[in-house]
């Protein structure tokens, strides 16, 4: 693991993260650098929103399960600010894709990976930004776990549909299966925790 301290934030990169990036780009040529840049843009969106909310970022970890950001302890912010922090990463990717298109009329890999990363992270799966935002919304606005249970069951069914659909796409590679299985397993685990 490689770690560096930037200002007051510790940034660590695990070899597993680089392996995941390599796996994602396995069938599409050598686009690891552009994929990593899109991930950095995504995290920069989160970091900017955290700082705008008055909180600080203690640590950012790039690991095999993705990128995790840890705020400074004891910083209380509102549920709406938490939701804004969560959606700011995907928004940064979508904004970047828009700027690439507007200024270069380019729809190459960097444009596409930012669109995919932005939209994918807005999906309502519990391990993604969209799912975490939905979880905060349900917790703040509804009592009981019926909405969460419905969303988790919906997500499990959505995983099966996406895996079946994506298998027929011309740009399919093995990482889609791995991602689908990971998302499905995470939703089943969370559903079992709520039911117990």
């Amino acid at each position: 693991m490689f770690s560096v301290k930037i200002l007051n934030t510790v940034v660590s990169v695990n070899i597993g993260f680089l392996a995941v990036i390599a796996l994602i780009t396995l069938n599409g040529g050598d686009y690891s650098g552009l994929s990593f840049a899109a991930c950095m843009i995504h995290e920069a969106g989160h970091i900017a929103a955290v700082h705008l909310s008055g909180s600080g970022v203690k640590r950012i970890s790039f690991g095999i399960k993705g990128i995790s950001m840890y705020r400074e302890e004891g910083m209380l912010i509102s549920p709406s600010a938490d939701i804004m922090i969560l959606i700011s990463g995907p928004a940064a990717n979508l904004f970047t894709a828009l700027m690439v298109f507007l200024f270069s009329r380019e729809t190459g890999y960097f444009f596409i990976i930012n669109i995919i990363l932005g939209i994918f992270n807005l999906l309502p799966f519990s391990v993604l930004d969209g799912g975490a935002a939905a979880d905060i919304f349900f917790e703040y606005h509804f009592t009981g776990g019926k909405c969460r249970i419905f969303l988790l069951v919906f997500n499990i069914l959505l995983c099966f549909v996406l895996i079946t659909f994506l298998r027929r796409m011309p740009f399919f590679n093995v990482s889609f299966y791995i991602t689908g299985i990971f998302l499905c397993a995470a939703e089943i685990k969370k559903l079992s925790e709520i039911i117990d």
Side-chain angles (χ1 to χ4, degrees):
M1 178 186 292
F2 168 78
S3 293
V4 64
K5 191 167 187 176
I6 301 171
L7 300 174
N8 292 327
T9 305
V10 175
V11 179
S12 61
V13 180
N14 187 306
I15 191 71
F17 175 78
L18 301 175
V20 169
I21 292 289
L23 182 63
I24 289 170
T25 59
L26 189 62
N27 291 348
D30 187 23
Y31 296 113
S32 300
L34 293 175
S35 297
F36 190 75
C39 291
M40 295 297 96
I41 289 166
H42 182 94
E43 292 308 311
H46 288 308
I47 292 167
V50 166
H51 285 293
L52 287 173
S53 73
S55 187
V57 180
K58 182 179 179 181
R59 182 168 58 98
I60 301 171
S61 176
F62 295 80
I64 195 161
K65 294 191 298 185
I67 303 169
S68 301
M69 185 173 61
Y70 304 91
R71 290 193 306 234
E72 292 176 4
E73 295 172 15
M75 302 295 265
L76 298 174
I77 57 176
S78 69
S80 58
D82 266 342
I83 290 172
M84 290 304 294
I85 290 168
L86 286 164
I87 64 171
S88 63
N93 289 119
L94 296 173
F95 180 76
T96 299
L98 177 65
M99 292 298 105
V100 167
F101 181 75
L102 289 177
F103 290 107
S104 69
R105 297 285 183 220
E106 185 68 37
T107 57
Y109 183 82
F110 191 61
F111 170 82
I112 292 169
I113 195 66
N114 274 288
I115 291 285
I116 290 172
L117 193 57
I119 292 172
F120 177 74
N121 273 283
L122 287 174
L123 292 175
F125 294 100
S126 60
V127 293
L128 301 177
D129 296 327
D135 203 34
I136 291 168
F137 178 81
F138 289 137
E139 184 177 325
Y140 187 69
H141 291 289
F142 299 100
T143 57
K146 289 183 182 177
C147 290
R148 286 182 182 159
I149 291 171
F150 172 78
L151 185 60
L152 290 168
V153 170
F154 173 80
N155 287 344
I156 292 166
L157 295 173
L158 182 61
C159 278
F160 289 113
V161 170
L162 286 175
I163 289 170
T164 303
F165 175 73
L166 289 174
R167 189 175 46 148
R168 302 181 195 290
M169 299 303 285
F171 54 82
F172 174 79
N173 70 34
V174 71
S175 65
F176 291 144
Y177 270 130
I178 294 168
T179 302
I181 291 167
F182 171 74
L183 289 174
C184 193
E187 299 304 279
I188 291 169
K189 181 177 185 259
K190 185 145 187 169
L191 182 62
S192 67
E193 289 171 359
I194 291 174
I195 291 173
D196 286 343

